[in-house]
């Protein structure tokens, strides 16, 4: 059995944390033979609640869990971490718009970026807390000693939502749907692009009505988070946790030929300005991701990609004072 890896989860007593930690502990994320030491971070007032989570983890008796630590100190939580899930932050409530969310959550990622820089080196960071692209940008800016390739943001939930919707419409298991590319921001402008996607081995563009693909499909995927809040009275939690597991599992264990959507720091691919954290088509191998280059983007796609560049540049400008 390999040596245990250290996995940190922030916001560990929250809703996503409650679903995520169990999947990590069970081996769904890092593989069925990989032991883990769980390092759970919460803000001080929530430590008693986190204690309850720890009790339940102990009670679940996961053979792969070789240690559980709970703390309110990010430097302790991230010490020698191999993987970090930055979940802790406020979810959007019904009355909040995106700029409220940026203002409420951005500062958290200054301190956590600094703590990562201090405490971790060869670490894979997945930012889930919203607005996740911009929070990832902030954390990365405060961790100059960690390569920016190690900082990613989660748009896998959007890809999974798109796959789920295409599968439902075709009446086929989602395993038969591949390669929707989510471009841009995990926000309303996000673009689930089906140009290279297949369902049951056939191109999506040949299998569905073009009007539906550019209309209801796009609107439903990009508005799904809000629809879940309206229905549940709380933001997506289990599906977010599951998508975080998918993102980190593929990064750690490899995606094979599948295209996976990841928010990554742009190096100028597809005309996306360098340094923006932008969701792009990726493949992963040996613990590293690579952008799938050379896909021919049509005119509609170019317009959508630009909309996301504009949105992310605006978000970046709004947090300029947090970027150091
Ligand atoms: P909860 O409010 O249930 O849990 C968040 C937890 O974070 C709380 O327990 C809180 O005490 C803790 N926290 C706050 N500040 C912290 C800090 N500085 N350090 C450590 N912990 C801290 O929210 P939950 O439903 O778990 O959502 C968490 C975040 O994920 C939100 O920002 C939410 O918007 C975001 N989401 C991101 C998604 C994505 O696809 N990227 C989708 C789902 C979700 O909306």
């Amino acid at each position: 059995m390999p040596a245990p890896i250290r996995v940190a989860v922030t916001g560990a007593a929250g809703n996503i944390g409650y679903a995520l930690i169990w999947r990590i502990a069970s081996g769904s994320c890092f593989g069925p033979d990989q032991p883990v030491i769980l390092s759970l971070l919460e803000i001080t007032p929530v430590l008693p609640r986190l204690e309850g989570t720890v009790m339940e983890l102990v009670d679940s008796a996961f053979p792969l869990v070789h240690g559980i630590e709970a703390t309110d100190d990010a430097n302790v939580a991230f010490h020698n971490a191999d993987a970090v899930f930055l979940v802790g932050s406020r979810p959007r409530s019904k009355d909040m718009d995106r700029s409220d969310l940026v203002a409420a959550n951005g500062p958290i990622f200054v301190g956590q970026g600094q703590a990562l820089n201090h405490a971790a080196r060869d670490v894979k960071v997945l930012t889930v807390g919203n607005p996740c692209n911009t929070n990832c940008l902030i954390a990365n800016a405060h961790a100059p000693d960690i390569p920016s390739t190690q900082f990613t943001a989660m748009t896998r939930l959007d890809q999974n939502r798109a796959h789920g919707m295409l599968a439902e419409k075709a009446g086929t298991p989602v395993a038969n749907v591949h390669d929707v590319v989510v471009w841009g921001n995990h926000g309303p402008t996000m673009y689930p692009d089906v140009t290279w996607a297949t369902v049951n081995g056939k191109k999506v563009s040949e299998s569905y009505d073009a009007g539906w693909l550019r209309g209801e499909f796009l609107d439903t995927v990009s508005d799904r988070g809000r629809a879940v809040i309206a229905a549940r009275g709380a933001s997506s939690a289990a599906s977010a946790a599951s998508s975080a597991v998918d993102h980190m599992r593929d990064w750690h264990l490899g995606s094979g030929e599948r295209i996976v959507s990841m928010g990554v720091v742009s190096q100028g691919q597809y005309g996306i300005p360098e340094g923006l954290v932008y969701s792009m088509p990726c493949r992963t191998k040996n613990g590293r991701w690579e952008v799938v280059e050379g896909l021919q983007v049509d005119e509609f796609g170019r317009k959508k990609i630009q909309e996301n560049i504009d949105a992310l540049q605006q978000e970046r400008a709004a947090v300029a004072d947090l970027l150091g």
Side-chain angles (χ1 to χ4, degrees):
M1 199 169 250
I5 57 172
R6 295 186 66 90
V7 181
V9 178
T10 76
N15 284 309
I16 294 177
Y18 197 63
L20 174 62
I21 297 164
W22 266 259
R23 298 283 306 281
I24 297 169
S26 72
S28 301
C29 191
F30 297 99
D33 301 317
Q34 177 58 62
V36 291
I37 295 170
L38 295 169
S39 184
L40 310 178
L41 182 73
E42 260 298 345
I43 49 174
T44 313
V46 181
L47 283 178
R49 185 176 154 91
L50 182 59
E51 202 42 51
T53 303
V54 172
M55 284 183 218
E56 280 205 79
L57 270 172
V58 171
D59 298 348
S60 300
F62 285 112
L64 289 174
V65 174
H66 284 211
I68 307 168
E69 292 157 16
T71 178
D72 59 358
D73 182 344
N75 288 301
V76 172
F78 299 157
H79 185 66
N80 283 338
D82 298 288
V84 174
F85 294 83
L86 295 178
V87 181
S89 53
R90 281 190 61 171
R92 189 181 67 200
S93 50
K94 275 185 191 163
D95 53 338
M96 278 175 110
D97 67 19
R98 227 172 152 73
S99 58
D100 298 327
L101 206 60
V102 175
N105 288 335
I108 295 173
F109 293 83
V110 172
Q112 296 193 343
Q114 289 164 344
L116 279 164
N117 201 49
H118 177 72
R121 279 294 160 272
D122 191 12
V123 60
K124 292 182 174 67
V125 180
L126 170 58
T127 314
V128 175
N130 276 324
C132 63
N133 298 57
T134 295
N135 289 339
C136 179
L137 186 79
I138 297 170
N140 180 24
H142 291 275
D145 300 330
I146 300 176
S148 46
T149 49
Q150 301 309 107
F151 282 84
T152 64
M154 186 166 92
T155 52
R156 185 60 173 268
L157 177 56
D158 306 304
Q159 184 179 7
N160 284 346
R161 284 169 172 164
H163 283 185
M165 198 173 164
L166 291 171
E168 199 178 35
K169 181 94 172 161
T172 191
V174 76
N176 297 330
V177 183
H178 298 284
D179 296 346
V180 172
V181 172
V182 173
W183 297 97
N185 196 7
H186 173 69
T189 53
M190 160 264 304
Y191 174 45
D193 187 348
V194 298
T195 310
W196 309 278
T198 59
V199 173
N200 293 320
K202 272 182 73 179
K203 290 197 87 169
V204 161
S205 52
E206 292 161 13
S207 312
Y208 299 81
D209 176 64
W212 180 80
L213 285 172
R214 292 213 168 155
E216 192 183 336
F217 170 73
L218 284 195
D219 294 346
T220 307
V221 174
S222 77
D223 206 39
R224 189 68 157 187
R226 201 181 289 276
V228 169
I229 293 174
R232 239 171 63 84
S235 64
S236 310
S239 57
S242 195
S243 301
V245 167
D246 288 346
H247 176 121
M248 191 63 92
R249 183 202 57 227
D250 285 340
W251 192 0
H252 187 73
L253 297 173
S255 63
E257 287 308 301
R258 283 176 298 123
I259 294 180
V260 290
S261 298
M262 298 171 72
V264 296
V265 179
S266 171
Q267 291 160 342
Q269 298 95 334
Y270 294 100
I272 295 152
E274 256 179 68
L276 274 191
V277 175
Y278 197 100
S279 180
M280 288 193 250
C282 294
R283 288 201 180 93
T284 55
K285 198 176 171 186
N286 300 328
R288 310 214 167 274
W289 56 263
E290 255 184 22
V291 172
V292 179
E293 298 204 59
L295 299 176
Q296 294 306 310
V297 180
D298 61 17
E299 203 186 320
F300 183 76
R302 293 266 20 128
K303 199 174 123 253
K304 295 302 240 180
I305 286 174
Q306 188 58 46
E307 271 177 27
N308 280 281
I309 292 173
D310 295 345
L312 283 165
Q313 283 180 325
Q314 267 178 31
E315 279 188 23
R316 181 166 66 181
V319 298
D321 56 330
L322 300 179
L323 294 174

